[in-house]
Amino acid sequence: MQQTFRLVIDCPDQVGLVAAVSQFLADQQATIVEASHHTDAKLGRFFMRHEIKTDTLKLTLESFKQAFEPIAQQFSMKWKVSDSLQKQKVALLASHESHCLIDILHRWHSGELDCEIPCIIANHPQMKQFADWYRVPFHWVDFKNQDKAVAFAQVEALLEEYQADLTVLARFMQIVPDNLCQKLAGKAINIHHSFLPSFAGAKPYQQAYDRGVKLIGATCHYVTKDLDEGPIIEQEVIRISHSDSAEDMVRKGKNCEKAALANGVRYHLQDRVIIHKNKTVVFA
């Protein structure tokens, strides 16, 4: 895998910004292999992502940060630079539905998702069979026979123990408390079906079938204290016809969930997502 530095910038839009960044990179003999820009005229903000080859670059990651800081201050940037070879640690949270968990594990195992998976945490012990197959440490947290605050304290302790950079809720069917949402802000990703808020509660696909919907899908988003309302990263949709049963819709909906979650995780791992308030810019 080719090593690159990923420079991501979010700042007020202003004249000379791109020129200053480009001149800095040229002075460091940097080769840009991918460049993405976006100006939000309504917000007056500029977003940028550059992927830079390291083989001709004069700077290490740390010296890059130090050398770029004056430009960042000049243009009031929110910014970061990361090394593509430094793999992020992704903790997976799961409940009784396994399709998203297994899909993420397979994509990781096959090399499609470039990360480490240090642990799987679930509130259903049968998920251990998948962790064992992929040789990932497994932890069961009992949410049924103890207070949920105690259970989430155990989850939080495990995330800290494994030093998780990203937490993925792979159909984890527990509401994350506000304090943990704040702690994981921008570092936790969830997936839900597209029926909310129209078909909330039990059996949403049956409700959608009874209503005769013609389009279903899934939304991948960051976790916030507002349930299923965090900044959206990715969405998948598929058409439904009159000949589809409720069971067909469940099957097709699961495919949407898997694809949306996998793409959202990959975009995050590759620093392609910039969060601004409750929206995202995704340089896919």
Side-chain angles (χ1 to χ4, degrees):
M1 179 179 176
Q2 175 182 262
Q3 183 183 18
T4 60
F5 287 170
R6 297 163 179 161
L7 175 63
V8 181
I9 296 169
D10 166 10
C11 66
D13 188 30
Q14 52 209 292
V15 175
L17 171 60
V18 174
V21 174
S22 300
Q23 187 61 57
F24 170 83
L25 295 177
D27 291 343
Q28 305 304 325
Q29 297 182 358
T31 299
I32 300 172
V33 295
E34 184 178 335
S36 302
H37 300 164
H38 173 65
T39 300
D40 189 315
K42 185 175 182 179
L43 295 174
R45 293 198 71 83
F46 180 77
F47 305 91
M48 172 190 290
R49 178 186 182 274
H50 280 179
E51 194 141 5
I52 306 155
K53 287 177 65 175
T54 59
D55 52 0
T56 60
L57 193 64
K58 295 179 179 179
L59 303 173
T60 65
L61 186 64
E62 289 306 314
S63 61
F64 188 109
K65 293 177 182 178
Q66 294 173 9
F68 191 75
E69 183 60 34
I71 297 176
Q73 292 183 4
Q74 177 185 352
F75 291 97
S76 302
M77 294 178 181
K78 294 169 59 179
W79 70 287
K80 68 176 181 179
V81 61
S82 61
D83 186 339
S84 65
L85 294 188
Q86 293 181 355
K87 294 186 178 184
Q88 296 187 52
K89 296 179 180 179
V90 179
L92 301 179
L93 271 58
S95 289
H96 65 281
E97 291 194 20
S98 60
H99 58 287
C100 284
L101 174 69
I102 296 173
D103 185 72
I104 291 292
L105 287 169
H106 173 72
R107 293 175 192 266
W108 162 71
H109 183 70
S110 64
E112 181 181 334
L113 291 176
D114 188 33
C115 62
E116 296 179 7
I117 298 183
C119 67
I120 296 171
I121 305 168
N123 63 325
H124 287 257
Q126 64 266 33
M127 293 297 104
K128 185 176 185 298
Q129 60 183 309
F130 307 116
D132 289 346
W133 198 94
Y134 285 96
R135 299 180 181 178
V136 175
F138 177 81
H139 297 272
W140 170 57
V141 176
D142 186 357
F143 275 77
K144 185 176 181 180
N145 297 308
Q146 62 179 340
D147 187 84
K148 287 194 175 183
V150 175
F152 268 113
Q154 295 174 5
V155 171
E156 185 175 354
L158 287 168
L159 296 177
E160 292 178 353
E161 177 185 342
Y162 285 101
Q163 299 180 324
D165 299 301
L166 176 67
T167 301
V168 175
L169 281 63
R171 295 292 289 158
F172 180 66
M173 303 304 290
Q174 296 291 328
I175 299 175
V176 180
D178 290 358
N179 65 313
L180 188 54
C181 286
Q182 294 175 14
K183 185 173 182 178
L184 299 178
K187 299 178 181 178
I189 291 176
N190 195 9
I191 185 75
H192 70 264
H193 57 72
S194 63
F195 301 133
L196 299 175
S198 298
F199 306 124
K203 297 184 178 180
Y205 286 98
Q206 184 64 51
Q207 295 180 57
Y209 173 79
D210 293 340
R211 183 65 179 82
V213 302
K214 297 297 184 283
L215 199 68
I216 65 172
T219 295
C220 175
H221 60 93
Y222 287 105
V223 175
T224 65
K225 63 182 180 64
D226 300 314
L227 182 63
D228 292 329
E229 294 185 16
I232 294 170
I233 310 169
E234 174 72 328
Q235 293 177 299
E236 289 284 338
V237 295
I238 190 170
R239 282 212 155 271
I240 295 299
S241 79
H242 56 272
S243 63
D244 285 312
S245 66
E247 291 74 20
D248 291 328
M249 293 170 64
V250 170
R251 172 176 54 81
K252 292 181 177 182
K254 285 182 176 180
N255 286 337
C256 288
E257 290 173 6
K258 291 187 291 185
L261 182 60
N263 286 333
V265 170
R266 181 167 58 85
Y267 296 154
H268 178 94
L269 293 175
Q270 294 180 352
D271 296 311
R272 296 184 178 277
V273 186
I274 303 175
I275 303 173
H276 185 74
K277 296 184 178 179
N278 200 45
K279 293 177 66 177
T280 61
V281 172
V282 183
F283 292 122

